[in-house]
Amino acid sequence: MKCRVCRGPAVIDIRRHNANFCAEHFLKLCRDQVAKAIKQFSMLEPGERVLVAVSGGKDSLALWDILGELGYEADGLYLGLGIDGYSDVSGTYVHRFVAERGLKLVEVDLRADEGFDVPTAAAATRRVPCSACGLSKRHLFDRAALDGGYDAVATGHNLDDEAAVLLGNVLKWQEDYLGRQRPVLPARNGFPKKIKPLVRLTERETAAYCVLRGIDYQVEECPMAEGNRHLGHKATLNDLERRTPGAKHDLYFGFQARAVDRFGSASDDTDPVELGACAECGAPTTGEVCAFCSLAKRARAAEPVALSPTRRRRR
Ligand code: Q46
Ligand code: ZN
Ligand code: ZN
C-alpha cells in the first residue's frame, strides 16, 4: 500500500478518494479538506475570531487543532454537562489538550453556573436526554460567543454526523430542518454564525488524525446517547458506504448542491419571525421566556443544585 502523493508506505486507505496516504500526506489531506470546506461554503473571512465547541472527543479536538494549523484565531469552549462518569473524563482530555498547547479555553458548567444538569433536565421534562442537552448546548454556545465577541461558533460535526441527520430528516421529510441543514448558518437575529468545517471528513478520518497528531481524546460514547436514532442511521449509511464508497459524500454534498435551497434560505432577510428578548436572560426568543430558561426553571424546580457565586446573567 503506497501513498498516492509520495509513493512512500501508506498508513491509511480512503476508499471514497480511491487512494492511500502516508502520515504526512494524510494530515495534509485533512487540513486541505477543512480549508476546502471553509472556502466552498464561505465559512470564515480572514481575521474572524472563532469559538470552537470542544467536547473532549476526537472531532472537536481535531477541528481545533486543524483551525490552529490553518492560522485561524480559534479559542475553545467546554460545556460541563453534568453527566456522571462521562463529563469529568471528557473535561480532562480538553484540559490536557489546552495545557499542552497553551490555548485559551472558555468554560461553562451547567451545574455550577446554571443550577441543573442534563440528566435532571431530561427527567424533569420527560424528554430524551439529547433533547435537553442539545437545547442547552445551542443556547450556551450562542451566549458564550456573543459574550466573548466571537464571529462564529465552530462545531465538530463530521460527514458521518451530517449525512445521518440528513437521512433522518429525509425519511421524515422534516422540511424546516432540511432548509437549515447547511454547513454554515449566517449570524441572524442576535445569534452568532454557526459553522461545521469538518463536513468533508469522516469520523474514521478524524480519529486517525488525532492518533497521528498525538491527540488523546475521550473514546467512550456518551452514556445518554443510547436510543439516539442518528446512531441507527449511521449504521445504515456505513453499510451503504461499504458497498458504494462515496455514498455519504454524494448524499450530503448532492443535497447541498441541488436540494437545500428548495427547503428554505439560511439568510435572515427571509426569516418572517420577529424576535423579542427573553425576560430572564435577554436571548432572542419568540416567546416571553426562551426555551432554555424555561427548561432551566423546570430542571431546577425538580432538583435544586447550588449555583456558583460567579453565575452571570447577560442582561
Ligand atoms: S452529549 Fe448530550 Fe450528545 Fe450525550 S446527551 Fe446526547 S447530545 S449524546 S453529542
Ligand atoms: Zn506521502
Ligand atoms: Zn432565556
Side-chain angles (χ1 to χ4, degrees), residues 74-284:
D75 297 334
L77 168 65
Y78 177 68
L79 181 55
L81 302 169
I83 299 172
D84 286 333
Y86 178 71
S87 296
D88 290 348
V89 183
S90 303
T92 309
Y93 288 102
V94 174
H95 291 136
R96 195 180 302 159
F97 181 87
V98 167
E100 283 169 1
R101 291 162 178 79
L103 296 166
K104 181 178 168 192
L105 182 70
V106 179
E107 291 192 76
V108 178
D109 188 82
L110 261 190
R111 278 184 189 150
D113 298 331
E114 300 296 335
F116 70 97
D117 54 33
V118 164
T120 315
T125 54
R126 299 213 183 104
R127 296 204 294 189
V128 288
C130 295
S131 162
C133 184
L135 170 62
S136 303
K137 282 184 193 171
R138 283 191 296 278
H139 180 88
L140 296 168
F141 290 171
D142 285 349
R143 185 203 285 171
L146 293 172
D147 281 355
Y150 293 93
D151 300 291
V153 174
T155 53
H157 295 99
N158 56 42
L159 180 58
D160 297 79
D161 298 323
E162 293 304 290
V165 173
L166 174 57
L167 178 61
N169 288 337
V170 166
L171 290 174
K172 292 204 176 289
W173 291 112
Q174 296 200 299
E175 298 188 30
D176 45 344
Y177 290 156
L178 285 168
R180 291 180 56 74
Q181 206 185 340
R182 298 163 186 270
V184 57
L185 289 173
R188 60 174 198 119
N189 291 332
F191 295 107
K193 177 162 66 177
K194 313 280 171 45
I195 62 172
K196 296 174 180 172
L198 293 186
V199 283
R200 299 188 63 88
L201 294 175
T202 63
E203 56 188 36
R204 174 172 173 262
E205 289 146 27
T206 59
Y209 180 90
C210 286
V211 170
L212 292 171
R213 287 281 289 167
I215 298 170
D216 220 0
Y217 60 87
Q218 164 75 291
V219 179
E220 298 299 320
E221 287 285 340
C222 169
M224 311 220 118
E226 217 172 293
N228 181 328
R229 62 194 152 76
H230 296 149
L231 294 181
H233 296 330
K234 274 189 184 177
T236 303
L237 286 170
N238 283 340
D239 273 350
L240 195 58
E241 185 80 22
R242 256 189 296 280
R243 276 172 278 133
T244 321
K248 290 175 200 170
H249 177 102
D250 292 346
L251 171 68
Y252 183 74
F253 288 96
F255 174 76
Q256 295 303 327
R258 296 173 192 191
V260 69
D261 289 337
R262 297 176 191 221
F263 295 96
S265 161
S267 68
D268 53 351
D269 45 357
T270 55
D271 198 333
V273 185
E274 274 289 318
L275 296 182
C278 168
E280 288 279 321
C281 73

Side-chain angles (χ1 to χ4, degrees), residues 139 143 277-285 288-294 313:
H139 180 88
R143 185 203 285 171
C278 168
E280 288 279 321
C281 73
T285 177
E288 194 187 325
V289 173
C290 75
F292 174 78
C293 287
S294 58
R313 295 216 174 231

